[in-house]
Amino acid sequence: MLPGSIQISGETLSGAEIRDICESLRENSVRLLSLRGCQLSERDFGHVCRGVAESRSLAQLNLNLGIVSNINRVKQLAEALKTNRSVQSLFLHGSPLTDAGLALLNPALSIHPSLVALDLGDCMLGDEGINLICGLLPPDGAKSGLKELTLSANPGITSKGWGRLAIAVAHSSQLRVLNLDYNPLGDQVAGMLAVAVASSRTLEVLDLEGTGLTNQSAQTLLDMVENYPTALRTLILAENNISPELQQQISDLLSEGEEEEETEAHEVTAREKNPWICQNNSSSQMVLMTSGLGDSLLAETEM
């Protein structure tokens, strides 16, 4: 029997329900566990963490919206992740983690062999937390690291912290999705991120929705997309003070990029059918301006 999912949202969980969840974890019959916004006792949270530690099937763990509500729970989760080897996606959005909590959790995150997606949105993080997160984005040739990272709504992070993250993103060998929406980034930080995107060979999705950008940021991003070959495919710029003219120029680039990608796809198909056709060395690029993300590991469960 293939592992299934347990998804419960906003409920007060009884002891019996916790026992059923833990039994399913121990039996390796759960691939996705989401307890988003649920209420459970300290004792029951400990039981769940022990179940997570024992599970070999659990790939996604969603504890969004205040489940990890104190330092004791952070410690229990950290201990569980030190033993667990299967979790690929961890969601802690809306947890009062703070830099101190992340410091306790970080050793387990940094050695976890499977973790590739992490949501720390609205976790009250600051610059010290960013320094820890950068360690999860190793440079080329180093150990494996995150492919998807969400840091939405962490206003305590300063431009110095975002600059440190931009450097890590530029040299990351794996990161492909970065969500920074609803942070007060402004044009200065957006310029740093544009340099990071131009340097990255893997970043495909960048979410800058509601980050205080202006035409200055849009022009920088437009120049980057137009003049530098990048892996970027989706650029989210909704709810920023960007003129319709600049948005139109970006849209024009999107259309051109989409046409180029379709052309290359046809050429690849033709080469597969006829190996005597000469290969075209030019690379295509498609950058999208959208108000939402496509399929990703982080999109498989609710926030």
Side-chain angles (χ1 to χ4, degrees):
M1 180 177 178
L2 294 175
S5 65
I6 298 175
Q7 300 188 64
I8 308 172
S9 181
E11 296 185 15
T12 299
L13 299 179
S14 66
E17 289 173 317
I18 294 296
R19 285 192 293 273
D20 288 343
I21 290 171
C22 293
E23 182 178 355
S24 297
L25 288 169
R26 288 191 296 269
E27 292 176 349
N28 298 309
S29 61
V30 180
R31 178 174 174 80
L32 186 159
L33 174 61
S34 175
L35 303 179
R36 179 179 180 270
C38 289
Q39 301 292 323
L40 63 163
S41 68
E42 295 296 319
R43 180 181 178 181
D44 285 342
F45 183 84
H47 289 325
V48 170
C49 285
R50 285 189 286 276
V52 169
E54 296 176 21
S55 176
R56 298 188 305 274
S57 64
L58 185 64
Q60 296 187 53
L61 178 59
N62 187 330
L63 300 176
N64 283 350
L65 300 183
I67 302 296
V68 186
S69 56
N70 56 55
I71 289 297
N72 184 54
R73 292 191 176 193
V74 173
K75 292 178 180 178
Q76 292 184 82
L77 178 59
E79 287 300 315
L81 292 174
K82 286 179 182 177
T83 303
N84 176 276
R85 292 292 179 267
S86 62
V87 170
Q88 299 173 22
S89 303
L90 177 62
F91 304 79
L92 299 175
H93 201 111
S95 302
L97 199 58
T98 74
D99 290 350
L102 183 57
L104 293 173
L105 192 60
N106 186 66
L109 299 178
S110 62
I111 65 172
H112 199 286
S114 302
L115 187 68
V116 293
L118 180 63
D119 185 345
L120 296 177
D122 194 17
C123 282
M124 303 173 64
L125 300 180
D127 289 353
E128 292 182 11
I130 283 290
N131 289 336
L132 296 172
I133 290 166
C134 289
L136 303 176
L137 303 174
D140 293 346
K143 63 180 182 178
S144 61
L146 296 178
K147 294 182 179 180
E148 304 191 17
L149 174 63
T150 293
L151 293 172
S152 314
N154 280 294
I157 301 171
T158 70
S159 58
K160 180 179 179 180
W162 293 124
R164 176 73 179 85
L165 180 69
I167 294 172
V169 170
H171 293 283
S172 171
S173 59
Q174 298 188 53
L175 188 68
R176 62 182 179 86
V177 177
L178 179 60
N179 301 314
L180 302 179
D181 48 312
Y182 298 104
N183 283 296
L185 303 182
D187 292 330
Q188 180 183 8
V189 172
M192 300 178 192
L193 292 171
V195 174
V197 172
S199 301
S200 172
R201 297 196 296 269
T202 60
L203 191 67
E204 299 176 357
V205 177
L206 178 60
D207 186 351
L208 298 177
E209 180 174 355
T211 52
L213 307 189
T214 70
N215 287 344
Q216 179 181 334
S217 299
Q219 185 62 60
T220 300
L221 292 166
L222 178 63
D223 291 343
M224 178 269 297
V225 169
E226 189 171 23
N227 297 311
Y228 296 91
T230 74
L232 195 66
R233 294 294 179 266
T234 302
L235 179 60
I236 303 174
L237 295 172
E239 296 190 33
N240 286 294
N241 188 23
I242 298 174
S243 71
E245 291 78 14
L246 277 174
Q247 293 191 41
Q248 185 59 54
Q249 291 181 59
I250 293 174
S251 296
D252 291 343
L253 281 177
L254 300 182
S255 299
E256 292 173 8
E258 186 174 1
E259 291 172 0
E260 289 176 3
E261 186 170 86
E262 290 177 352
T263 299
E264 181 170 306
H266 289 311
E267 290 175 352
V268 169
T269 301
R271 286 198 299 271
E272 291 174 349
K273 292 180 178 180
N274 186 351
W276 296 105
I277 296 178
C278 294
Q279 294 188 7
N280 187 341
N281 292 325
S282 63
S283 61
S284 69
Q285 176 184 20
M286 179 177 66
V287 183
L288 303 179
M289 187 173 184
T290 177
S291 60
L293 292 178
D295 294 337
S296 71
L297 289 174
L298 291 177
E300 289 187 23
T301 64
E302 291 183 336
M303 284 183 55

